[in-house]
Amino acid sequence: MITWRGQTSAEQGFMDYMKKKNIFLRYACYDADQNPDVLDSIIAAVKKKTWDIIYVFGTTATRAVLSEITTVPVVFNVVTRPVKIGIIKSWESSGSNATGVSSKVPVLNQLKALKKVIDYKHLAMVFNPMEPNSVIQRDIVEKLSQEMNFQLHEFFVKESRDLEKMVSRLERGVDAVFFPSDSKINSLGKKITAIVNE
């Protein structure tokens, strides 16, 4: 198991399901801790051993693993847009040694649900521009802004220290805040939520 931000309920769910189906596996768990250099060293170590299957969490880690490991079956989990990002060719056939599940909830549905809570005209989107899934979602939100009659305000968060810059800009006037499926934003969720709520 190669995780991007530690063991989550997704990994526990995977292990519980395997056990329920009487598929007994021995697990070796590696956590990249959202660090590309650590991820590279994990992949190098994994390549030196023999595995029956490799489980990977998230887009960033899955892309890195599949670029280096092409013969061992790879099961990805919590990847929002695996086809669009190029992890698999299509939902009918991955065209590679990969299979997995998507965590995608259509952005349109999310924004419509938010409109029921508050009729926003200025929407803040807090995301990590280094995460491909977030950039895709940002482009979708921008396209929907005209159709749904709102102005998009972008807030980049690559590291925890970026949160301080965000505060004064938020105070200048946004009606609501949208968080995409984004590992960095998820890991900083409590801090970001506290800032937004304040």
Side-chain angles (χ1 to χ4, degrees):
M1 294 189 118
I2 301 174
T3 59
W4 181 240
R5 53 180 168 90
Q7 188 166 326
T8 70
S9 55
E11 286 72 45
Q12 191 59 54
F14 178 85
M15 291 187 283
D16 289 348
Y17 183 80
M18 290 294 131
K19 188 175 180 182
K20 182 179 174 183
K21 292 295 182 179
N22 293 318
I23 301 170
F24 298 101
L25 302 172
R26 286 182 295 148
Y27 297 93
C29 300
Y30 301 87
D31 177 29
D33 196 27
Q34 298 186 57
N35 184 323
D37 295 331
V38 173
L39 179 60
D40 289 343
S41 64
I42 288 170
I43 293 169
V46 165
K47 285 173 70 174
K48 292 177 182 173
K49 297 181 181 179
T50 302
W51 306 97
D52 295 314
I53 186 171
I54 298 173
Y55 167 99
V56 188
F57 175 97
T59 302
T60 302
T62 301
R63 288 176 79 184
V65 167
L66 289 172
S67 71
E68 294 288 327
I69 298 172
T70 58
T71 56
V72 180
V74 173
V75 176
F76 61 83
N77 198 355
V78 192
V79 173
T80 308
R81 290 169 174 78
V83 176
K84 185 152 189 160
I85 215 75
I87 287 173
I88 58 174
K89 286 186 180 176
S90 71
W91 281 112
E92 288 73 37
S93 173
S94 69
S96 68
N97 57 318
T99 190
V101 295
S102 169
S103 57
K104 179 182 174 186
V105 175
V107 173
L108 176 61
N109 293 4
Q110 295 177 59
L111 295 181
K112 281 183 175 178
L114 186 55
K115 275 274 188 189
K116 290 179 180 180
V117 177
I118 182 169
D119 187 19
Y120 54 88
K121 299 295 181 197
H122 294 271
L123 179 68
M125 182 171 172
V126 180
F127 68 102
N128 177 5
M130 304 307 291
E131 189 156 325
N133 273 330
S134 295
V135 174
I136 290 169
Q137 290 171 88
R138 180 250 174 237
D139 292 346
I140 293 169
V141 171
E142 185 178 45
K143 286 177 186 172
L144 290 170
S145 66
Q146 294 178 4
E147 178 185 322
M148 296 180 69
N149 192 29
F150 66 85
Q151 183 178 346
L152 175 63
H153 302 265
E154 298 177 18
F155 293 83
F156 298 151
V157 176
K158 295 179 190 174
E159 299 177 36
S160 183
R161 66 175 180 240
D162 294 334
L163 297 179
E164 293 174 24
K165 301 173 201 168
M166 190 176 79
V167 176
S168 61
R169 287 191 56 219
L170 276 173
E171 289 174 345
R172 289 184 211 150
V174 297
D175 304 314
V177 181
F178 175 71
F179 302 109
S181 175
D182 182 310
S183 288
K184 178 59 71 179
I185 300 308
N186 194 323
S187 69
L188 296 172
K190 288 183 181 178
K191 289 181 182 178
I192 294 172
T193 303
I195 290 168
V196 170
N197 286 340
E198 187 179 332

